[in-house]
Amino acid sequence: MQTPAPIGVFDSGYGGLTVFREIRAKLPQYDYIYLGDNARAPYGPRDFDTIYHYTLECVRHLFDMGCQLVVLACNTASAKALRTIQQQDLPKIAPNRRVLGVIRPTTEIVGKFTKTNHVGVLATRGTVVSQSYVIEIEKFFPKIKVFQQACPMWVPLVENNEHESEGADYFVKKNLGELLAQSDQIDTLVLGCTHYPLLTNKIRQYLPANVQLLSQGEIVANSLSEYLHRHLEMEAVCSKGGKVNYFTTESAAEFDRKAAIFLGEAVRSEHLTLVSVVGE
Ligand code: DGL
């Protein structure tokens, strides 16, 4: 039997904190390690292989720290790397460990919200190009039509703390307009990037009042809770002490400052050096 260890939560940067916040609120009894690959964010514009290798490298670090269960709190990594990691890497490197993503839990329930069966998805270019949302929603709700819009500037706005700025207004208005121009019947909008909830105030400002906004934090937290109820063998290897350790591949001081604003409490992270970041 494995020694119980924290649940790993991974994102390219700060976005995963929107999911982590809800996971911890729902499941406060567990220990967690959050890893943000801030040095290499954004992942969205990168190609498939790069996102896969970066994600796998971070997952391996979380495994090295003992994690038996890792949540990719990142749509781009879930879209581009999760399946390969689950199907090809885990059987070889860690057959008893598990890696979960954020796209499936979201697509499983989206049909409960839409009445028009026209659903909009805002995401990074990587996620949009992967068609993951279109493919997964089709499996669960074949009648739903999915309209996607890439918002390439939104993650940089959040990572650079510009999400409350006038520049953010410009890009939010522009990309929402592009999405809504694809269908005037969209009544449900999925924020398919874990960074985007930080832009919620701006999004609401430019979104017609009848359109519901789905962000993933609560959805993923509920899904993880159900997963742990169904998989008692995994639940048994998740340590319970209510502790959180944060790691970032960028400056720890910068991470602490931003993460604290965001989580509403003091954060003390450690810098994690990834071999491939050195010299980049
Ligand atoms: N927060 C991420 C997502 O959910 C990644 C954004 C990025 O690094 O481009 O897609």
Side-chain angles (χ1 to χ4, degrees), residues 10-16 18-19 34 37 40-46 51 72-79 102 123-127 133 152 155-156 159 191-196 216:
F10 166 74
D11 181 50
S12 61
Y14 297 105
T18 61
V19 171
Y34 182 92
D37 191 6
R40 302 187 294 198
Y43 277 18
R46 297 188 187 273
I51 294 168
L72 301 184
C74 175
N75 288 269
T76 311
S78 299
V102 289
T124 66
R125 212 185 291 289
T127 301
Y133 273 95
V155 171
E159 287 288 312
L191 296 186
C193 172
T194 56
H195 282 68
Y196 296 176
Q216 296 173 305

Side-chain angles (χ1 to χ4, degrees), residues 47 54 77 80 121 143 153 163 165 169 182 184 198 209 226 229 236 250 277:
D47 67 24
Y54 286 0
K80 300 265 191 176
V121 175
K143 289 200 180 119
M153 290 306 291
H163 51 282
S165 68
D169 279 278
Q182 295 180 47
D184 57 7
L198 282 160
E226 283 162 22
H229 276 101
E250 247 290 338
V277 172

